[in-house]
Amino acid sequence: MSPIVLPNNALVLLVGISGAGKTTFAAAHFAAFETLSSDTCRALVADDENDQSANRAAFEVLHLILHERLRRGRFTVVDATNLHSQARQTLRGLASRWRIPVHVIVLNPGWAVCEERWRTRTDRHFERKVLQRQQDALRSTLEQLPNESYEAVTVLDSAASIAAATIVRR
């Protein structure tokens, strides 16, 4: 597999359902301060990264930090499901304001992998139907991404391709 080449001033959107490995991928490939996590922002405003009632405030915080990083031309990764076109459009709009290219990396290790991770996770508690809705949204997202304006979209469509992925920054 060829490396994923990212410019030093890019905005990278990680896309995937819960259990796809977005946070693990971000930790393996990007500096902690480069990654804005919706879970972390939720914890910052509600003391609980699982508190979905804090989503609005959490994303306000995430967008504020993202705006400042992009204004300064800083490489930034958004670690969230990013499964809804409106959410992606908001992020693209912030990047566009500062002429920052947007790259998308879709992590899709497969339903069975994500379901197993959901089943064994102790840090996330939600019903299986939520995971299924995310999987349905991922299918729609994969259809929509080619029609949205991104510098590049990379789809890692197996656990093996996610594990083997390499990032090159230029």
Side-chain angles (χ1 to χ4, degrees), residues 19-169:
K22 298 176 301 297
T23 300
T24 300
F25 186 87
H29 296 285
F30 309 110
F33 58 84
E34 294 175 326
T35 303
L36 301 179
S37 163
S38 60
D39 291 342
T40 299
C41 290
R42 221 177 278 110
L44 287 170
V45 300
D47 294 333
D48 181 358
E49 64 184 22
N50 295 306
D51 185 350
Q52 297 299 306
S53 72
N55 271 351
R56 181 179 171 144
F59 278 95
E60 286 176 7
V61 168
L62 188 145
H63 292 156
L64 176 65
I65 297 169
L66 178 60
H67 169 83
E68 285 302 316
R69 288 188 60 80
L70 296 176
R71 184 178 70 80
R72 295 169 180 265
R74 307 310 303 161
F75 180 91
T76 306
V77 177
V78 174
D79 172 7
T81 61
N82 291 312
L83 293 172
H84 302 288
S85 60
Q86 183 61 41
R88 293 189 305 275
Q89 182 179 359
T90 298
L91 297 170
R92 280 194 327 270
L94 285 169
S96 175
R97 179 174 183 188
W98 303 106
R99 295 181 181 90
I100 301 293
V102 182
H103 289 248
V104 173
I105 302 174
V106 178
L107 281 72
N108 185 14
W111 171 255
V113 171
C114 293
E115 185 180 34
E116 177 62 24
R117 290 175 181 169
W118 165 80
R119 193 177 298 114
T120 59
R121 282 181 89 157
T122 58
D123 63 334
R124 293 282 187 276
H125 306 286
F126 56 87
E127 295 182 25
R128 184 178 182 276
K129 67 182 179 183
V130 172
L131 192 65
Q132 183 60 59
R133 280 197 304 266
Q134 290 180 358
Q135 181 67 20
D136 294 342
L138 178 60
R139 282 189 208 100
S140 295
T141 296
L142 289 169
E143 292 173 4
Q144 295 165 355
L145 287 173
N147 300 318
E148 298 176 6
S149 299
Y150 299 107
E151 191 74 21
V153 175
T154 302
V155 178
L156 302 173
D157 59 2
S158 69
S161 67
I162 294 168
T166 57
I167 305 288
V168 173
R169 303 259 296 268

